[in-house]
Amino acid sequence: STLRNTMPSKITTNVQHALRDTGAGRFFCNLFSYIAGFTQLLFTKPAYLDHFLRPSKHVKSVKYGTHSSQFLDVFPCESKLGKDAPVIAFVHGGAWGSGHPYMYRLLGVRLAMEGFHCILIGYRTYPCADILGQLDDVQEALSYIRRRIGFGELSSIGKNSQIYLSGHSSGAHVVAQCVLQRAKTLDFIKGVIGFGGAYDLKSQYECEKSKDVHELSPLKAANKGVENFNRFSPFVIASNLKSFTGAGAEDDGSEQKQAVSVPKSHEQKQALSVPKFLLLHGLKDTTVPPSQSENLMAASKDKFPCEMELLDGVAHSDIVTDMFDLDKEIKYLERIKKFCNM
């Protein structure tokens, strides 16, 4: 009786792990996303299909590493700002285990129309790379952009263009983690824009458990297990920083403030020079709750510049896919432009 009661759940868990750890789940997720996107455009915006099916003639794909996923799709600015327009380097989401830049080509087109140079960063996802490999890829991609900007394959971008880093969902987690842990190496990044980001792995894992998808999701495996969630949570890192005023995160305004001390951890040392953050999150997001951005915003107080906007009526995917509609007015694009000093 006990064996009969336990076997079905055990088999189900094993199958979920197999889908997660072999890359089969990634294949099906990417295939479904491609078919769904193609179908939606076919019936709603057929004029956009050329952008989705193949890169525009204005787009270049540039390799920054040897792996097939280590490439950049570059969408030069199409407005009067020209070469000196700011750069938005975008890291896609996909629960650390799926996603691909081709799914975001319309985002590249839209941001180029809005006056940005947009660079979509391809990177290895789980199981090809865990969080450390993903951080390495994003750092290498950004370093490549910094070295090559204004020359050769990136000659369409001005040497003086400011570089901003952005990401959606798990991609927002990766970029926040990368900047917080490796700020000194990435000191040329002028700001970070997070779209619906998962910044606290523990609470996001509990959210996935409540939906019974936690064994299928790469979150736990890609981030090296539950025991490492604090290590790879931007919220936790920000919470543990010393404030610029010398008070801790729990400063109550009393006169017993300590002098600014040297942080003990490597993460704290790196995060002292982090750039400004802009957190955008949809209030209808049930995949990654808005509390993720709210908590990181609170944790950043007196430690690094951070602003946030919660968006009415916007769900998890909408916050990025709404920008795929090249004719739709997106109010928070003006917030992004202001953040990027446009």
Side-chain angles (χ1 to χ4, degrees):
S1 174
T2 302
L3 180 63
R4 186 165 55 247
N5 290 335
T6 58
M7 279 298 288
S9 62
K10 185 174 182 180
I11 292 173
T12 300
T13 300
N14 288 341
V15 170
Q16 291 182 70
H17 286 179
L19 288 170
R20 181 192 70 188
D21 298 337
T22 64
R26 176 178 59 194
F27 171 80
F28 288 115
C29 283
N30 288 347
L31 179 63
F32 174 79
S33 296
Y34 191 86
I35 294 173
F38 173 83
T39 303
Q40 183 178 7
L41 288 178
L42 181 64
F43 289 102
T44 61
K45 297 285 185 179
Y48 296 173
L49 279 175
D50 191 52
H51 292 300
F52 184 74
L53 291 172
R54 60 178 182 169
S56 160
K57 63 181 180 180
H58 302 294
V59 178
K60 291 184 178 180
S61 287
V62 181
K63 293 286 294 180
Y64 68 86
T66 57
H67 192 275
S68 60
S69 297
Q70 294 171 326
F71 70 94
L72 311 171
D73 271 354
V74 183
F75 296 75
C77 173
E78 296 179 8
S79 79
K80 61 183 180 181
L81 293 175
K83 280 194 170 187
D84 292 330
V87 176
I88 290 186
F90 178 80
V91 177
H92 65 77
W96 298 271
S98 62
H100 195 278
Y102 69 69
M103 301 174 183
Y104 298 86
R105 287 173 181 166
L106 288 173
L107 176 65
V109 174
R110 179 60 184 266
L111 291 177
M113 291 172 55
E114 294 289 339
F116 298 95
H117 299 294
C118 180
I119 301 180
L120 307 179
I121 297 178
Y123 63 103
R124 294 170 297 161
T125 54
Y126 186 84
C128 292
D130 61 14
I131 183 61
L132 290 176
Q134 294 175 25
L135 293 171
D136 287 344
D137 282 6
V138 171
Q139 179 180 338
E140 179 55 35
L142 293 169
S143 297
Y144 180 94
I145 294 169
R146 177 62 173 170
R147 291 194 309 269
R148 303 294 184 90
I149 195 170
F151 302 99
E153 295 161 320
L154 299 182
S155 60
S156 59
I157 303 175
K159 291 188 294 183
N160 297 321
S161 292
Q162 295 188 331
I163 302 173
Y164 294 83
L165 180 60
S166 67
H168 174 235
S169 193
S170 61
H173 164 266
V174 172
V175 303
Q177 185 73 13
C178 195
V179 167
L180 284 170
Q181 285 193 321
R182 308 179 182 195
K184 290 184 178 179
T185 304
L186 300 174
D187 59 357
F188 55 89
I189 299 298
K190 299 301 181 183
V192 175
I193 306 167
F195 297 98
Y199 307 113
D200 181 3
L201 295 180
K202 182 178 179 181
S203 65
Q204 183 60 25
Y205 184 66
E206 292 302 318
C207 178
E208 292 188 352
K209 284 182 72 174
S210 71
K211 301 174 183 178
D212 201 25
V213 296
H214 58 294
E215 298 295 352
L216 180 61
S217 167
L219 186 159
K220 179 171 64 174
N223 288 283
K224 305 180 81 68
V226 176
E227 64 274 16
N228 282 298
F229 279 178
N230 284 352
R231 177 185 174 194
F232 297 117
S233 288
F235 163 72
V236 175
I237 295 174
S239 298
N240 290 333
L241 292 178
K242 296 292 185 182
S243 71
F244 294 139
T245 63
E250 298 296 326
D251 177 33
D252 59 1
S254 68
E255 295 181 357
Q256 296 180 345
K257 292 183 179 180
Q258 299 178 355
V260 176
S261 60
V262 178
K264 295 180 180 179
S265 71
H266 174 71
E267 287 86 354
Q268 285 176 310
K269 291 178 181 178
Q270 290 283 47
L272 281 175
S273 57
V274 298
K276 61 183 180 179
F277 273 59
L278 171 61
L279 307 177
L280 299 171
H281 217 119
L283 286 172
K284 287 182 63 178
D285 192 337
T286 57
T287 303
V288 179
S291 58
Q292 290 275 348
S293 288
E294 292 175 308
N295 291 340
L296 181 58
M297 175 70 180
S300 71
K301 185 179 179 181
D302 297 328
K303 298 164 187 175
F304 54 89
C306 187
E307 52 191 273
M308 178 183 68
E309 183 172 349
L310 300 179
L311 308 169
D312 287 327
V314 177
H316 185 65
S317 297
D318 297 345
I319 198 168
V320 170
T321 59
D322 279 356
M323 289 186 280
F324 291 7
D325 187 337
L326 306 181
D327 302 312
K328 184 176 181 179
E329 181 183 358
I330 307 295
K331 292 183 179 180
Y332 52 87
L333 272 171
E334 295 305 315
R335 183 69 178 269
I336 294 171
K337 290 180 180 179
K338 183 178 179 181
F339 180 78
C340 297
N341 300 316
M342 293 177 66

